[in-house]
Amino acid sequence: SVTLPLRMKQHNDNALKVAKYLQTVKGVSFVAYPGLENHPNHQIAKEQMTNGYGGVLSFGLKADHDTYNRVVSHLKNIRMLDPVPSVIRDYVRTSDVELRQNCDNLSAVLYEMCKDTLKKDRLLEVVRGLPENDVEDIEFIETKIGDVIFALRERNLNSTELVDARQLSDGTLRCIAVLTVALIGEPGSLIMIEEIDNGIHPARVYKLIEQLIAIGKERKIDIIITIKKPFSYFITKNINRITTCV
């Protein structure tokens, strides 16, 4: 990727900033990062790691067990998302409801989420508002052994057709995955979405980000997105709980 060097530089810079910030926090007992001057191997790292000190650090807390649990709980509310359409096009167990980074179990997550009619209606409202979509409903095809795949009920002239995930476009699958993670996110959580415009038509990306802004505001969720193409709309930073990274 032509952007990899720039992204890795930012990756390194961000880790150093986080490490320096943690050093100022009273509740932190130690910070281990080779980019810090007080690290025992800083000089060696400086000589060997000429392009940055990496993105991994560790730290400890001056805290009791309950505080540790709260910190871990907050960290678990950070979700990384990079939907891969090819792995979404299959049946999954209905019990597999913890959304993974590549969204291969999206059908099961949607199956569980749509039990909440408010979330289902919100998802349909957004999907219907995306360009080139004429969706009436979201349905689920279940097997006798407890597997499920989601499908969209689409209008075609005077009739409707049930189109399951195996037949949906990459762009549609990515859009639904991104909207799902926003709708199931806990208030106060952070969602990071990789290359939101990958495989999605620019007109859809525009509308999708508008809807993410609205959902983020409604549910008090912070969303960070990266994009591949520098559309002028995306250059604005920190819009209503959305941060874009070109």
Side-chain angles (χ1 to χ4, degrees):
S1 172
V2 294
T3 63
L4 183 59
L6 294 173
R7 295 170 70 178
M8 288 309 300
K9 181 182 182 303
Q10 194 63 54
H11 194 55
N12 295 332
D13 292 347
N14 288 345
L16 182 58
K17 288 178 182 178
V18 171
K20 288 181 175 180
Y21 167 74
L22 288 172
Q23 284 187 312
T24 69
V25 178
K26 293 181 179 179
V28 173
S29 59
F30 74 89
V31 182
Y33 184 68
L36 297 175
E37 293 183 1
N38 64 350
H39 190 278
N41 295 318
H42 174 68
Q43 192 57 42
I44 296 175
K46 188 175 181 180
E47 294 171 1
Q48 296 180 350
M49 306 171 76
T50 55
N51 293 320
Y53 300 99
V56 179
L57 60 86
S58 61
F59 66 95
L61 298 176
K62 302 174 185 175
D64 57 24
H65 186 70
D66 289 340
T67 303
Y68 272 108
N69 286 340
R70 286 199 299 274
V71 171
V72 170
S73 176
H74 284 306
L75 290 174
K76 285 182 177 180
N77 278 337
I78 300 175
R79 287 180 179 266
M80 299 281 294
L81 198 73
D82 186 13
V84 179
S86 61
V87 301
I88 298 175
R89 295 187 174 96
D90 204 354
Y91 283 85
V92 290
R93 303 295 293 177
T94 55
S95 57
D96 190 5
V97 295
E98 186 64 35
L99 188 63
R100 288 186 283 275
Q101 183 171 343
N102 67 356
C103 300
D104 62 336
N105 61 332
L106 179 62
S107 286
V109 176
L110 279 170
Y111 179 77
E112 183 67 21
M113 187 193 80
C114 287
K115 293 176 181 178
D116 183 330
T117 55
L118 292 177
K119 290 181 179 178
K120 178 182 178 181
D121 290 345
R122 187 73 172 94
L123 175 64
L124 284 170
E125 176 189 352
V126 177
V127 171
R128 288 166 181 157
L130 296 175
E132 302 178 14
N133 267 11
D134 195 1
V135 176
E136 288 201 347
D137 200 3
I138 181 169
E139 300 178 21
F140 299 92
I141 303 169
E142 299 179 65
T143 69
K144 294 180 180 180
I145 60 173
D147 293 337
V148 66
I149 191 171
F150 84 92
L152 297 181
R153 175 71 64 180
E154 297 184 349
R155 175 159 292 282
N156 184 12
L157 297 177
N158 295 322
S159 62
T160 64
E161 179 184 7
L162 192 62
V163 183
D164 68 40
R166 294 170 296 186
Q167 301 168 279
L168 294 172
S169 69
D170 287 1
T172 297
L173 291 174
R174 285 181 62 85
C175 283
I176 292 175
V178 167
L179 291 168
T180 299
V181 75
L183 288 169
I184 65 174
E186 294 293 330
S189 62
L190 172 66
I191 300 170
M192 304 177 69
I193 304 169
E194 286 282 343
E195 297 183 348
I196 194 170
D197 54 328
N198 186 18
I200 302 178
H201 190 278
R204 276 188 165 190
V205 178
Y206 183 95
K207 293 294 293 184
L208 180 60
I209 290 184
E210 282 192 333
Q211 292 300 326
L212 287 175
I213 289 171
I215 294 172
K217 189 174 182 180
E218 290 168 10
R219 300 182 55 76
K220 295 181 172 59
I221 294 171
D222 291 309
I223 303 173
I224 297 175
I225 64 175
T226 67
I227 60 174
K228 295 179 66 176
K229 301 175 183 178
F231 300 120
S232 59
Y233 174 80
F234 303 137
I235 300 303
T236 305
K237 308 289 183 179
N238 300 317
I239 310 176
N240 294 331
R241 310 190 76 87
I242 297 280
T243 299
T244 61
C245 306
V246 180

